[in-house]
Amino acid sequence: MSAEEVVNGMESLGVQEKQEEDDDHVDPWSVTSKNDAGIDYDKLIKRFGSSKLDDEILARFEKVTGKPCHRFLRRGIFFSHRDLHTILTLREQGKPFFLYTGRGPSSGSMHLGHLVPFIITKWIQETFDVPLVIQLTDDEKSLWKDLKVEETMKLARENAKDIIALGFDVRKTFVFSNLDFMGRCPEMYQNIIRIQRCVTFNQVKGIFGFGDSDVIGKIGFPAAQAVPCMSSTFPFIFGKKNIHCLIPCAIDQDPYFRMTRDVAPRVGFPKPALLHSTFFPALQGAKSKMSASDPNSAIFLTDTPKQIKTKINKHAFSGGRDTVEEHRTLGGDTNVDVPYQLLKFFLDDDEELERVRVAYSTGQMLSGEIKKKAVETLQPIVEEHQKQRKLVTDEVLNEFMSLRKLEFS
């Protein structure tokens, strides 16, 4: 697909969204749905032109790795891809690839949903024994959130500690913030210029919806998110080798990489492959949005066990019925029930999750009981993360952010 085709597709999408009021809206800065069950991901695959992570490719994934798929893959939490077959073929041929994912640091405290791409990335890294680069787009948040540069750089370091606390291996992982790294590694800016030379103002307006009143930094930023998929951006890791890249991310970030996939071959780099995740639900349900300004919209990594219990019991949207009698007869709706969705993300046992689904949807399990299950599942996860977070000192963070060779097969 050419850049012009991408632009035309995005422009027609804008018209379609105006005509079909019931359609979902998904872009890198805004995700909204008028459906209690949230985004229609089958429609989104067609709209974005990606491929479904179907049983066939998951079976091939397990054959190549010799391991069962991660629960995020088994349960459709990661549901879409671009060129995953290419990555699996590279592994079969004994050829290398690397991983790239990122975080936009707009607040000091991350929530559970922010961990999703990092959890799967860590699993892929360990499964394939490959290097990983993690980008912190503090420049983006300074432009979009009207935060001071110094503030976003501080937030980037705090968020990086939350990410590292998941247990990433410092020998195989490089973490960087754009506002710091670009001054230390000229190759990043050189690649940004290569990308910017290939994308016109009309094209970037069509892809991202920028208007005449947007600051010029926004127009240039997409190239900064593009270049970490190019191995030459990190010469201290890869030297002059031109290596393929796999990017696990939420599907709202896909517009950046549709642009990147068009431009990359024109500047001598392979197209990045992608794994797309669904969206983590806000506590109030799929129609609402998680926000750092609303502490009751999400489970934050700083929450106490008591806060987690209170939030789920008081604020988690229920798919249960209005009365116990009605619920016993009709059962609950797991498609909209937030406590069940939380379990789908974080309860590791497939058999137990299925038992909960059947019990709740047939009315054997009540809303209070499924909330209790969600509380008991999440409390130890957050507590363990807080314990590990305390071990990530500034010295540990500086080691992850230092320019160095990485160890990988």
Side-chain angles (χ1 to χ4, degrees), residues 113-141:
H114 291 141
L115 294 184
V116 169
F118 298 104
I119 291 171
I120 192 72
T121 298
K122 180 174 180 288
W123 180 83
I124 295 171
Q125 181 187 36
E126 292 172 348
T127 298
F128 288 93
D129 187 21
V130 291
L132 162 66
V133 296
I134 298 176
Q135 180 186 48
L136 301 164
T137 55
D138 42 9
D139 50 347
E140 175 199 18
K141 294 308 175 184

Side-chain angles (χ1 to χ4, degrees), residues 16-17 20-25 32-34 43 47:
Q16 184 181 15
E17 285 184 330
E20 299 179 15
E21 295 182 357
D22 290 335
D23 272 3
D24 305 319
H25 175 81
T32 57
S33 175
K34 296 184 179 181
K43 282 186 178 180
R47 187 181 303 171

Side-chain angles (χ1 to χ4, degrees), residues 29-90:
W29 309 282
S30 176
V31 178
T32 57
S33 175
K34 296 184 179 181
N35 190 322
D36 284 337
I39 302 296
D40 186 327
Y41 292 105
D42 287 334
K43 282 186 178 180
L44 202 57
I45 286 173
K46 293 179 181 179
R47 187 181 303 171
F48 280 10
S50 59
S51 301
K52 188 172 183 177
L53 271 175
D54 55 22
D55 292 341
E56 178 183 353
I57 194 166
L58 293 181
R60 186 182 180 206
F61 199 103
E62 293 189 344
K63 180 181 179 181
V64 170
T65 63
K67 295 182 178 180
C69 284
H70 191 276
R71 67 177 184 273
F72 286 175
L73 297 172
R74 298 195 304 266
R75 297 173 187 175
I77 290 170
F78 277 79
F79 70 102
S80 167
H81 75 97
R82 295 185 187 276
D83 286 350
L84 181 58
H85 280 296
T86 298
I87 298 298
L88 296 177
T89 298
L90 288 171

Side-chain angles (χ1 to χ4, degrees), residues 295-309:
N296 294 320
S297 66
I299 304 298
F300 288 87
L301 299 177
T302 52
D303 284 346
T304 65
K306 183 178 179 180
Q307 287 174 319
I308 293 171
K309 181 178 180 180

Side-chain angles (χ1 to χ4, degrees), residues 77-353:
I77 290 170
F78 277 79
F79 70 102
S80 167
H81 75 97
R82 295 185 187 276
D83 286 350
L84 181 58
H85 280 296
T86 298
I87 298 298
L88 296 177
T89 298
L90 288 171
R91 173 42 57 107
E92 288 175 330
Q93 296 172 345
K95 295 179 180 178
F97 71 92
F98 72 101
L99 291 165
Y100 154 44
T101 193
R103 157 79 181 143
S106 58
S107 63
S109 177
M110 293 169 61
H111 57 65
L112 280 175
H114 291 141
L115 294 184
V116 169
F118 298 104
I119 291 171
I120 192 72
T121 298
K122 180 174 180 288
W123 180 83
I124 295 171
Q125 181 187 36
E126 292 172 348
T127 298
F128 288 93
D129 187 21
V130 291
L132 162 66
V133 296
I134 298 176
Q135 180 186 48
L136 301 164
T137 55
D138 42 9
D139 50 347
E140 175 199 18
K141 294 308 175 184
S142 183
L143 292 166
W144 266 267
K145 297 292 186 179
D146 195 27
L147 298 170
K148 293 182 179 179
V149 165
E150 296 78 8
E151 186 176 0
T152 57
M153 292 182 74
K154 181 179 178 181
L155 294 176
R157 288 184 64 86
E158 292 303 309
N159 285 188
K161 291 179 179 180
D162 274 327
I163 294 165
I164 292 168
L166 285 171
F168 285 101
D169 188 341
V170 69
R171 298 171 302 171
K172 304 175 186 294
T173 306
F174 175 58
V175 179
F176 67 99
S177 81
N178 284 352
L179 289 173
D180 169 70
F181 179 61
M182 205 178 304
R184 295 192 289 153
C185 186
E187 286 83 359
M188 180 177 185
Y189 188 59
Q190 292 164 15
N191 279 341
I192 286 174
I193 293 299
R194 291 184 177 102
I195 296 293
Q196 289 177 342
R197 280 168 50 87
C198 294
V199 183
T200 68
F201 180 49
N202 281 337
Q203 289 168 348
V204 83
K205 282 198 304 182
I207 297 169
F208 298 101
F210 297 142
D212 293 341
S213 61
D214 280 308
V215 297
I216 59 174
K218 291 184 179 182
I219 298 162
F221 170 75
Q225 186 154 325
V227 297
C229 73
M230 301 172 179
S231 56
S232 67
T233 300
F234 311 100
F236 50 92
I237 299 175
F238 302 109
K240 296 183 178 181
K241 295 178 180 178
N242 203 354
I243 298 174
H244 281 75
C245 179
L246 172 63
I247 308 170
C249 62
I251 196 162
D252 61 329
Q253 299 301 300
D254 189 69
Y256 284 114
F257 301 113
R258 290 205 295 277
M259 180 198 78
T260 307
R261 283 169 55 82
D262 174 72
V263 173
R266 296 159 58 190
V267 293
F269 296 97
K271 294 182 179 183
L274 286 99
L275 278 176
H276 299 128
S277 75
T278 59
F279 300 113
F280 195 76
L283 285 178
Q284 287 79 7
K287 289 182 180 179
S288 61
K289 183 180 180 182
M290 288 177 284
S291 171
S293 62
D294 181 3
N296 294 320
S297 66
I299 304 298
F300 288 87
L301 299 177
T302 52
D303 284 346
T304 65
K306 183 178 179 180
Q307 287 174 319
I308 293 171
K309 181 178 180 180
T310 299
K311 285 183 177 184
I312 291 177
N313 285 336
K314 288 189 175 182
H315 302 288
F317 187 84
S318 175
R321 305 297 174 173
D322 293 335
T323 66
V324 171
E325 293 77 14
E326 187 180 1
H327 186 89
R328 292 291 192 198
T329 302
L330 301 175
D333 186 353
T334 57
N335 291 319
V336 302
D337 190 87
V338 169
Y340 176 78
Q341 297 302 318
L342 294 174
L343 292 172
K344 185 177 179 181
F345 275 84
F346 286 102
L347 180 61
D348 195 47
D349 189 327
D350 286 346
E351 291 184 2
E352 178 65 8
L353 181 67

